[in-house]
Amino acid sequence: MAEAKEEDVHLGANKFTERQPIGTAAQTDDKDYKEPPPAPLFEPGELTSWSFYRAGIAEFIATFLFLYISILTVMGVNRAPNKCASVGIQGIAWAFGGMIFALVYCTAGISGGHINPAVTFGLFLARKLSLTRAVFYIVMQCLGAICGAGVVKGFMVGPYQRLKGGANMVNHGYTKGDALGAEIIGTFVLVYTVFSATDAKRNARDSHVPILAPLPIGFAVFLVHLATIPITGTGINPARSLGAAIIYNKDQAWDDHWIFWVGPFIGAGLAAIYHVIVIRAIPFKNRD
């Protein structure tokens, strides 16, 4: 009976859940806390479970809505005669961060609310979900991003191309190394925040943490955008960068596109290593 009540509060999907609980499932006595087992690399049963596909659909819809709102905001700012006549860089940062806050809140109990291949990759490296689920999520996230950017272009075909479609590029005055570094550090901040906000042991100790989890994640996205919009337009999400690049589809969107995959994946990997080895010291606990 208790298991059934906790079914929808896990990161991941009901029967085949990720190994990182969120919500009431994590609210146990800290001294009785036991490290959850790592997710298997491949879990065949997932492929026959509706909850697995439901989680993928949730990732698709969330990333679709994320791109739709955020790219539409970028278009509005770029279309204005000057920054004072629009919401400006701060408004763009709020659009990205606010949407992540809302969408993580809406989808955390269904798919975990990743909405970002880098987040999925980091959680996979930390063995919080299977390879099967990770690949499925990334595919659905990319498809959702392409559709979201496509709808924005449908609203404003001429301006969309003229204003570069919100595609990520290395801005004038910065090198590729600058852009790569900004993407690595920015994604590290985001994924580190995700790990901290959804940490099972911390949730077990502080019952308010899982309720507030979407807030620091969204706020991290907001702050990273404030810092790195002048450098790359801020990627830190390969699906966001891919969706905008495919729909815009000009050479300048593809010239440095690799940065917006390599940077976020390196940043996510470093955050996963830092969380598992330094913060949680899981390898050392297992040795004991």
Side-chain angles (χ1 to χ4, degrees), residues 70-93:
S70 57
I71 297 299
L72 205 55
T73 304
V74 172
M75 293 294 95
V77 171
N78 290 343
R79 199 174 187 180
N82 57 71
K83 291 291 186 284
C84 294
S86 69
V87 295
I89 287 178
Q90 293 88 346
I92 293 174

Side-chain angles (χ1 to χ4, degrees), residues 120-194:
T120 300
F121 179 68
L123 291 171
F124 165 69
L125 290 182
R127 302 295 300 276
K128 305 297 183 185
L129 72 165
S130 67
L131 177 62
T132 315
R133 186 179 291 269
V135 171
F136 183 49
Y137 277 15
I138 290 172
V139 170
M140 296 302 280
Q141 289 158 359
C142 290
L143 290 176
I146 293 167
C147 293
V151 170
V152 174
K153 183 177 181 179
F155 286 164
M156 44 174 69
V157 179
Y160 188 91
Q161 293 300 110
R162 187 175 72 253
L163 300 172
K164 302 179 181 179
N168 290 121
M169 305 169 193
V170 180
N171 290 327
H172 181 70
Y174 295 95
T175 66
K176 294 181 181 181
D178 296 333
L180 182 62
E183 289 296 307
I184 291 173
I185 296 172
T187 311
F188 180 92
V189 170
L190 170 60
V191 178
Y192 175 42
T193 304
V194 170

Side-chain angles (χ1 to χ4, degrees), residues 77 89 111 218 220 231 237 258 271 279 284:
V77 171
I89 287 178
S111 66
I231 304 173
N237 184 333
W258 63 272
I279 300 300
F284 306 103

Side-chain angles (χ1 to χ4, degrees), residues 4 28 34 38 49 56 73 113 135 165 204 218-219 222 228 268 275:
T28 57
K34 292 182 180 179
S49 169
T73 304
V135 171
F219 199 61
F222 165 70
T228 60
H275 176 78

Side-chain angles (χ1 to χ4, degrees), residues 1-287:
M1 182 65 71
E3 243 180 67
K5 289 180 181 177
E6 293 172 357
E7 185 178 36
D8 284 328
V9 295
H10 284 68
L11 277 175
N14 303 339
K15 183 178 178 183
F16 298 98
T17 60
E18 294 178 17
R19 297 312 194 265
Q20 183 74 24
I22 186 171
T24 56
Q27 295 171 18
T28 57
D29 192 349
D30 188 26
K31 69 177 185 294
D32 295 328
Y33 175 79
K34 292 182 180 179
E35 199 67 46
L41 193 62
F42 178 68
E43 194 164 4
E46 287 185 318
L47 300 177
T48 60
S49 169
W50 162 242
S51 62
F52 174 78
Y53 297 99
R54 183 184 70 163
I57 293 169
E59 287 292 311
F60 172 88
I61 295 297
T63 315
F64 168 84
L65 295 174
F66 176 58
L67 264 287
Y68 170 74
I69 295 296
S70 57
I71 297 299
L72 205 55
T73 304
V74 172
M75 293 294 95
V77 171
N78 290 343
R79 199 174 187 180
N82 57 71
K83 291 291 186 284
C84 294
S86 69
V87 295
I89 287 178
Q90 293 88 346
I92 293 174
W94 275 121
F96 278 87
M99 279 304 290
I100 289 298
F101 166 67
L103 294 169
V104 170
Y105 178 82
C106 292
T107 60
I110 302 170
S111 66
H114 298 187
I115 321 169
N116 185 336
V119 171
T120 300
F121 179 68
L123 291 171
F124 165 69
L125 290 182
R127 302 295 300 276
K128 305 297 183 185
L129 72 165
S130 67
L131 177 62
T132 315
R133 186 179 291 269
V135 171
F136 183 49
Y137 277 15
I138 290 172
V139 170
M140 296 302 280
Q141 289 158 359
C142 290
L143 290 176
I146 293 167
C147 293
V151 170
V152 174
K153 183 177 181 179
F155 286 164
M156 44 174 69
V157 179
Y160 188 91
Q161 293 300 110
R162 187 175 72 253
L163 300 172
K164 302 179 181 179
N168 290 121
M169 305 169 193
V170 180
N171 290 327
H172 181 70
Y174 295 95
T175 66
K176 294 181 181 181
D178 296 333
L180 182 62
E183 289 296 307
I184 291 173
I185 296 172
T187 311
F188 180 92
V189 170
L190 170 60
V191 178
Y192 175 42
T193 304
V194 170
F195 275 114
S196 297
T198 61
D199 184 76
K201 188 171 184 179
R202 188 180 180 195
N203 292 350
R205 185 177 62 247
D206 304 317
S207 61
H208 66 280
V209 169
I211 300 171
L212 298 176
L215 181 59
I217 295 171
F219 199 61
V221 171
F222 165 70
L223 292 174
V224 171
H225 274 76
L226 281 183
T228 60
I229 282 175
I231 304 173
T232 61
T234 308
I236 68 169
N237 184 333
R240 173 261 188 271
S241 300
L242 180 67
I246 285 178
I247 300 301
Y248 177 53
N249 200 29
K250 297 291 182 182
D251 288 344
Q252 58 191 136
W254 295 112
D255 288 343
D256 302 313
H257 185 70
W258 63 272
I259 290 172
F260 303 101
W261 283 87
V262 175
F265 273 52
I266 291 175
L270 292 174
I273 292 169
Y274 179 65
H275 176 78
V276 171
I277 296 179
V278 179
I279 300 300
R280 296 299 307 283
I282 291 175
F284 306 103
K285 290 177 184 176
N286 292 340
R287 186 181 302 170

